Amino acid sequence: MAVRMISVACLLVACGSAPVAPRAVDLDRADGVGTFVSVPRGFHTRSYWIEGPEGVVVIDTQFMPSEAERMLDTVERETGKRVVLAIVLHANPDKFNGAEVMRRRGVRVVTSEQVRARVPEVDALRRRWFYERYAPDYPSAMPELDAFGDATTEIHAAGLTLRAHVLGAGCSDAHVVIDWNGHVFTGDLIAHRAHAWLELGHVDAWLARLDEIEALRPRRVHPGRGESGGVERIDAQRAYLEHVRALTREASPVVPAPEGAIDALRARIEASYPGYAYPVFLRVGLPAVWTAVALERAE
């Protein structure tokens, strides 16, 4: 836990630069899809919106309540329509912290039963990390989410029909992936030119999630961080995770890790991906990957 606390503090310093205006990204607007990117202090988190004939659906609710407010204002200004539903893709505060803002403005917020079950524990841990540093721009209580069920289903809202795929562990213990009209919204299962959130060490399960996303045959892939793209985003994330796993195996990990061993592994990964955002995510996540691979070797 001490390693994680130090790492998060470093991350907050890195993201504490002067804020820039959040922006809307219009690359997919011809399809009715828009993107909102938070200020750096909000970890450059991406929320997406899908415009329907009867309103708008938002994907993920932002880390900072102030950004959730600005995101809603941006979406409703850009579309001229009201946001009627928000969908949370997994249990991390950059996905669920804006839920209370949504609810106050009449927006229903939903996720799967599996993701909702993980929110209390994750919220409690992240609150210890973030609350004092971000207050008052942090939820004062755990955000409340509704559940659409525990199995893959169709969601009808704003005159749209979305397919909500209920998936297992990856960067979190449970995930939802939204599929609509060739667009797939993955949350942090995919990042573009950013290091992965490896906190739980579920690399093998994460790779299985990427296979499931690929099987949806998406035309456009919308990641949790970094620009949207095509199926090459899936390929790049798979290659990244496989490389992290291969380098960890090469290190012949044992538990407990020898002093400096994980730092040396992190340096090799960073050298493999120069310019990738959030290298501190490796400080948070590599101890879990190291342990998982060490246990794999011991079996």
Side-chain angles (χ1 to χ4, degrees):
M1 182 62 70
V3 172
R4 291 182 179 177
M5 292 296 288
I6 292 169
S7 302
V8 171
C10 293
L11 174 59
L12 292 169
V13 169
C15 292
S17 56
V20 297
R23 58 194 176 93
V25 179
D26 296 332
L27 295 178
D28 296 288
R29 287 298 298 281
D31 287 351
V33 174
T35 310
F36 176 90
V37 184
S38 80
V39 295
R41 185 167 167 80
F43 306 109
H44 298 101
T45 295
R46 290 189 168 228
S47 293
Y48 299 93
W49 75 82
I50 306 172
E51 181 179 353
E54 301 169 12
V56 183
V57 174
V58 164
I59 311 294
D60 287 329
T61 72
Q62 287 289 319
F63 177 76
M64 298 159 61
S66 63
E67 291 299 273
E69 292 276 9
R70 283 189 264 187
M71 185 257 290
L72 282 177
D73 291 342
T74 298
V75 172
E76 295 185 345
R77 181 179 65 248
E78 292 280 332
T79 64
K81 297 176 181 176
R82 184 173 163 280
V83 175
V84 298
L85 182 73
I87 304 171
V88 170
L89 299 186
H90 61 93
N92 222 24
D94 58 338
K95 313 307 177 192
F96 62 65
N97 266 2
E100 188 55 36
V101 169
M102 305 284 155
R103 290 164 64 92
R104 282 202 313 267
R105 291 180 56 164
V107 180
R108 186 179 179 221
V109 185
V110 303
T111 190
S112 69
E113 290 281 7
Q114 293 90 330
V115 171
R116 185 170 70 165
R118 295 291 300 131
V119 168
E121 181 180 349
V122 173
D123 176 75
L125 174 60
R126 301 296 192 264
R127 191 168 295 277
R128 292 196 294 272
W129 288 3
F130 293 120
Y131 184 79
E132 290 186 4
R133 187 175 294 266
Y134 276 81
D137 202 359
Y138 200 89
S140 58
M142 184 186 77
E144 295 182 17
L145 312 179
D146 295 332
F148 60 72
D150 62 1
T152 296
T153 189
E154 289 184 346
I155 295 177
H156 303 279
L160 301 166
T161 299
L162 315 174
R163 190 77 173 165
H165 297 270
V166 175
L167 305 184
C171 62
S172 294
D173 281 324
H175 289 268
V176 174
V177 167
I178 298 296
D179 180 12
W180 176 78
N181 195 29
H183 292 262
V184 171
F185 304 86
T186 67
D188 293 337
L189 285 168
I190 295 178
H192 175 57
R193 294 193 59 77
H195 288 285
W197 183 255
L198 296 162
E199 178 192 17
L200 302 181
H202 296 324
V203 174
D204 290 349
W206 194 332
L207 288 167
R209 302 291 80 78
L210 296 181
D211 290 343
E212 292 164 350
I213 293 169
E214 187 174 48
L216 300 177
R217 303 177 65 85
R219 177 168 54 88
R220 292 285 285 170
V221 176
H222 301 285
R225 283 183 184 79
E227 295 181 359
S228 301
V231 294
E232 73 278 359
R233 294 289 186 267
I234 306 171
D235 297 335
Q237 188 67 54
R238 181 184 292 113
Y240 175 97
L241 292 173
E242 289 175 343
H243 188 61
V244 168
R245 184 175 62 183
L247 290 182
T248 308
R249 285 173 174 169
E250 283 180 19
S252 300
V254 295
V255 178
E259 184 175 355
I262 295 178
D263 286 341
L265 173 62
R266 176 175 53 81
R268 292 188 67 190
I269 296 169
E270 288 187 37
S272 298
Y273 297 97
Y276 267 42
Y278 296 106
V280 74
F281 286 2
L282 297 174
R283 292 182 182 270
V284 177
L286 279 182
V289 176
W290 180 281
T291 298
V293 173
L295 294 175
E296 170 193 286
R297 292 179 69 243
E299 290 180 353

